[in-house]
Each structure stands twice: as structure tokens, then as C-alpha cells.
Amino acid sequence: MNVGIVGIGLIGGSLAKAYKLAGNIVYGYDADESILGFAQLSGAIDKVLDDNSVGLCDVLFIAVNPGDAVAYLEKAAPKIKKNAMVIDCCGVKRFVCSRCFPLAQKHGFVFVGGHPMAGSHKAGFKNSRDNLFRGASIILVPPVYDDPVLFGRIEEILIPAGFSHLTITSAEKHDERIAFSSQMAHVVSNAYIKSPTAITHKGFSAGSYKDLTRVAQLNADMWAELCMENSDFLEQELDNFIKEIKRYKKALAEKNKNELKKLLEEGSRLKKELDN
């Protein structure tokens, strides 16, 4: 299988390594030519993905920011092989899918919205690895929901990556849920670390601090774009979070231990219920 990878960072680089390990021919493209060269030297990709080789690919993964992903596909669409499968790896789906489904229909390839549920706060090709997706889930937004042949083809194409679970959903549901499970977590972590006390945390912090601040260090350009593209759902989640935080603050201000205990028990119980 000829596999094209657009964007040789953490996600794209890990896909390249996984598909290369499985014996596929991997073509790669990155706006940073030094990264592209290093990926070639390290053996993660076989050849450069360009206007000519993109037409040879049976599957094309696009692992760049949403705006760049759409721009790339708009340019490459006429050159993509008929019936080839294109899967993006962006963290928002309404924006990407609304623009890419029509391109696929017009030019005769198959586009599937994708979002791998794996990653690291350490970005870049240097942190990529062939087993990043092993045992992980990938969220998929297909063009139709009643085509078992298409789903079988998607499953077969994704085998080399090592995903253990495929979640099928709509672009709308994806963005609504990811606003809570991912985007708000990054915003809250990033805001939390701005406390004036943070500078003196050494010697006074352990697991709780590490858990809450793990994703505070992020790619600001990428996350700003993701959050802005999903601002409606993210604002809803933040409004609810702020409302809850105010309840805790009110209990503290009023020295109401019983109310604070109630709030803490509510959160603890809900966490246990959700995990079970």
C-alpha cells in the first residue's frame, strides 16, 4: 500500500513510522524541509510527497492544523487517485468535514474525518514513535453511516496504526464532546499554571500538580485555532465550569464546611460513576 502523510510532526511522524514498519511505502510532506529531510534519513518515509506522488497514494493522512489541512486538500484534490481514501487527523470536525466532503465528492476520492485519541505534550517528529496509537481509539466521521463495505475498508486501512477501537460519530457530536474532554482540559490547565504561587511550587507539589498541569505546555498556535473553530461548544463548557467553581468559592467565603463537603462528594461520586 502506498501511504501519504501530510505533516511529519508527532502524529504524522508516528503514522509514518507505524505504516513503514508494517511494510508499506510511505510518502511524506512537511512545510519544514529540515524535518522532512530528517524523516527520510531516519527511514520513517521512503519518498517525498509532492504533486506527482500524491496521485500514487492509496491512502492519505493529513496531520496538520485544520486551516492548513483544508488548504492542502483544496490544492491536491484534483491530483488524488480515484477512490483513494483521505483521513485527516484534526481536533475539530465541523470545519474540516464541511469543506472536505464536497471536495471528495467532486474529485472521486473518499474523505473520512479522523481524530486519533493519542498524543503527548511533547510535540514534533523527534517525539514520534511507531507504537503511539497502539491500543488507542480513533474517532471517525464518515461521509455515510450505512455502508458496511466502507467501514470494512477503513478498518483494514487503519490496522498498521494499531488502533484498538474505532468510534463512529457525526462532526457535530465530535466537536461538542471534544470541547469538554480535550479543549477545556487544556484551557483550564493552561490557566491554572498562571497562579502567582506556581513559581514556588517546587518541594510542595506531587501527583496532583503533575496531573493538572501536564497539558499546560502546549502548541499555542494549534490550540488557539482548534479552540476558535469550536468556540461555541467550548464557551458552553467554560460557562458551566465557571458556574461550578463559583459554588466552591461561595462555600469557602461563607465558611460553609457542609456545603463544601457536599460539593466535593458530588464531584467524587460523579468521577467514580463515569469511570465505571
Side-chain angles (χ1 to χ4, degrees), residues 11-267:
I11 300 299
S14 296
L15 285 169
K17 290 176 180 179
Y19 279 84
K20 187 72 172 68
L21 184 64
N24 299 284
I25 298 174
V26 179
Y27 296 81
Y29 167 78
D30 196 278
D32 189 330
E33 292 187 1
S34 64
I35 293 176
L36 187 60
F38 186 71
Q40 282 184 283
L41 286 172
S42 67
I45 65 172
D46 297 293
K47 302 176 183 179
V48 174
L49 181 69
D50 56 24
D51 289 346
N52 295 318
S53 58
V54 71
L56 303 174
C57 294
D58 303 297
V59 58
L60 183 66
F61 290 99
I62 305 180
V64 293
N65 292 2
D68 293 333
V70 171
Y72 176 86
L73 197 57
E74 287 175 341
K75 181 180 178 182
K79 305 176 183 71
I80 295 174
K81 184 166 65 174
K82 300 297 181 185
N83 206 38
M85 183 169 290
V86 179
I87 303 174
D88 83 286
C89 301
C90 300
V92 290
K93 296 273 72 81
R94 286 177 297 171
F95 168 73
V96 175
C97 290
S98 66
R99 285 157 178 78
C100 294
F101 282 145
L103 287 171
Q105 188 172 21
K106 178 181 178 180
H107 295 282
F109 58 88
V110 179
F111 177 81
V112 177
H115 187 181
M117 291 290 96
S120 169
H121 62 288
K122 295 181 179 180
F125 177 76
K126 64 181 179 180
N127 294 301
S128 63
R129 59 183 192 273
D130 58 43
N131 64 351
L132 180 67
F133 309 108
R134 193 172 300 160
S137 169
I138 182 171
I139 304 172
L140 298 168
V141 179
V144 295
Y145 296 87
D146 58 354
D147 187 345
V149 175
L150 172 62
F151 292 155
R153 186 182 173 200
I154 294 171
E155 288 182 352
E156 185 176 359
I157 283 174
L158 291 175
I159 286 173
F163 293 107
S164 65
H165 183 70
L166 279 59
T167 300
I168 308 297
T169 189
S170 67
E172 184 87 6
K173 287 182 179 178
H174 169 277
D175 287 0
E176 179 182 18
R177 292 168 184 173
I178 218 70
F180 167 76
S181 65
S182 178
Q183 293 168 352
M184 189 174 71
H186 282 78
V187 170
V188 170
S189 179
N190 193 265
Y192 169 80
I193 201 66
K194 294 177 181 178
S195 167
T197 312
I199 197 170
T200 62
H201 83 87
K202 288 186 178 180
F204 295 85
S205 58
S208 298
Y209 170 84
K210 291 179 181 179
D211 289 345
L212 191 51
T213 61
R214 184 181 66 82
V215 294
Q217 185 178 337
L218 43 69
N219 181 327
D221 181 64
M222 180 186 76
W223 281 100
E225 183 174 344
L226 291 173
C227 291
M228 291 303 294
E229 289 295 346
N230 207 30
S231 60
D232 51 350
F233 285 131
L234 181 54
E235 283 185 59
Q236 289 177 22
E237 292 296 340
L238 286 171
D239 283 343
N240 185 67
F241 178 73
I242 291 168
K243 182 183 72 175
E244 289 298 320
I245 283 293
K246 284 182 176 179
R247 293 175 66 197
Y248 289 79
K249 183 180 179 181
K250 183 173 183 288
L252 288 167
E254 296 176 351
K255 308 298 182 186
N256 191 336
K257 181 180 177 181
N258 288 336
E259 177 63 15
L260 181 59
K261 180 182 176 183
K262 175 186 173 184
L263 292 170
L264 293 169
E265 286 176 340
E266 283 178 358

